[in-house]
Amino acid sequence: MNALFVANKPAGISSNHFLSRLKRKYGVKKAGFSGTLDPFASGCLIVALGNHTRLFNYIDKTPKNYEATMWLGATSASLDNENIEEIITLCPPLNLADVKAALSELKGEIDYVPPKFSAKHVDGKRAYELARGGEEFELKSQTMSVFDVNLTAYMHPFLSFRISVSEGSYVRSYAQILAARLGVKATLSALKRVSEGKFVYENERFLNPLDFISLPRNEYLGDPADVMLGKKLSAEKLKFGAEGLYLINFDEFFSIIEIKDETVTYKLNKVEKC
């Protein structure tokens, strides 16, 4: 079975464990997801079955939109509602104008350090494995693009906001930057991914991958069997010969090719349609 759809991951389960449930549900052995959600987080998880797992590098997944809630006065080693270390019960309320001003300032390109409890690689190991083992290590600073962020609710000590960010961003890290700007300690108590690009949860409805691949379309003017059999293609037999990545669409399948230095190579070939 080949399929592409959006699943709604519940909170309290890892993305890998949730994928195992989906594999059993659909009776498949080959499946994958794009954009890991932390165990405490919920929401949109792009899932592919069968050969459609090869599409993740070519589908548009930006911007990523989240709904987040900060727990003011609480601190956690993992920057979420797990591993709580301290709760300051007398944390004074914030001035709403200060919150809105801070959110307004924290847009655009923002430098941040990923959480140590993350899937980042450190010397061949996952950062969260080292963190759980109590090992000391540092992660390099990165940059996230914050396209938009707005306050949605504030009922002390919980502050909620909606944020739109680039792929690879960590909302947990953004919450720490916001807390520091406001002069308080905080951690995320809830996080829901609402959408990724045009991907939204619709009861696991199977999607047409071509609706989510923005590569320019090309046309092979030779025998379609050449593409079906994976034969070497000539740039002269393509409608457009300029260098770049292209999608070639046929009735039963599609392929993604790259033209470079007058050479045509298959990036993905004969991807069957649903």
Side-chain angles (χ1 to χ4, degrees):
M1 174 189 288
N2 298 320
L4 181 71
F5 61 91
V6 176
N8 184 33
K9 189 190 88 68
I13 183 175
S14 71
S15 295
N16 282 318
H17 190 178
F18 182 56
L19 181 67
S20 296
R21 289 184 181 180
L22 293 172
K23 289 168 71 174
R24 291 193 297 270
K25 176 180 178 179
Y26 290 101
V28 299
K29 293 184 178 180
K30 186 177 182 180
F33 60 82
S34 177
T36 303
L37 277 172
D38 298 318
F40 92 104
S42 64
C44 173
L45 190 71
I46 305 173
V47 176
L49 308 180
N51 289 333
H52 281 189
T53 55
R54 300 184 293 163
L55 297 173
F56 287 136
N57 289 333
Y58 302 99
I59 56 178
D60 296 325
K61 303 182 289 292
T62 298
K64 292 178 180 283
N65 295 305
Y66 295 87
E67 294 174 348
T69 297
M70 290 171 59
W71 183 359
L72 305 176
T75 56
S76 164
S78 52
L79 311 183
D80 54 31
N81 60 14
E82 300 179 340
N83 308 294
I84 296 294
E85 298 172 327
E86 180 185 16
I87 300 175
I88 301 174
T89 57
L90 298 178
C91 179
L94 299 173
N95 182 290
L96 202 57
D98 292 339
V99 175
K100 292 181 178 179
L103 289 172
S104 179
E105 294 167 0
L106 292 176
K107 294 182 183 179
E109 300 296 300
I110 295 179
D111 294 329
Y112 73 102
V113 177
K116 289 191 173 182
F117 283 80
S118 67
K120 291 291 184 183
H121 282 96
V122 179
D123 296 329
K125 294 184 178 181
R126 297 290 189 180
Y128 62 75
E129 295 175 347
L130 300 176
R132 288 170 182 166
E135 297 187 39
E136 292 295 326
F137 64 96
E138 297 296 330
L139 292 174
K140 294 181 180 180
S141 176
Q142 297 182 194
T143 301
M144 73 171 85
S145 296
V146 179
F147 305 117
D148 197 18
V149 60
N150 293 285
L151 179 69
T152 55
Y154 177 34
M155 185 173 292
H156 194 73
F158 297 102
L159 186 155
S160 298
F161 59 90
R162 187 180 178 106
I163 187 169
S164 178
V165 295
S166 56
E167 191 169 358
S169 301
Y170 283 91
V171 181
R172 284 180 290 157
S173 295
Y174 181 90
Q176 291 304 300
I177 296 172
L178 175 60
R181 181 67 63 94
L182 295 171
V184 297
K185 292 183 178 180
T187 190
L188 281 189
S189 63
L191 181 66
K192 179 180 180 180
R193 187 156 62 202
V194 179
S195 63
E196 297 185 76
K198 296 191 294 182
F199 289 92
V200 295
Y201 176 63
E202 297 177 297
N203 296 317
E204 297 182 13
R205 177 177 68 87
F206 287 1
L207 305 170
N208 180 359
L210 298 182
D211 293 336
F212 301 90
I213 298 175
S214 62
L215 295 176
R217 269 49 170 176
N218 209 327
E219 184 178 349
Y220 184 62
L221 304 177
D223 187 348
D226 294 345
V227 182
M228 183 174 292
L229 297 174
K231 292 184 177 182
K232 186 175 181 179
L233 303 181
S234 169
E236 296 178 352
K237 291 186 178 182
L238 291 164
K239 186 174 183 179
F240 305 107
E243 291 194 349
L245 287 171
Y246 293 95
L247 185 144
I248 304 178
N249 188 23
F250 296 91
D251 290 337
E252 302 297 329
F253 68 93
F254 63 90
S255 297
I256 294 176
I257 62 168
E258 182 179 28
I259 303 176
K260 187 176 183 181
D261 298 328
E262 299 183 355
T263 300
V264 181
T265 56
Y266 293 102
K267 306 301 288 185
L268 291 178
N269 191 32
K270 199 180 176 183
V271 181
E272 296 179 1
K273 298 180 181 179
C274 293

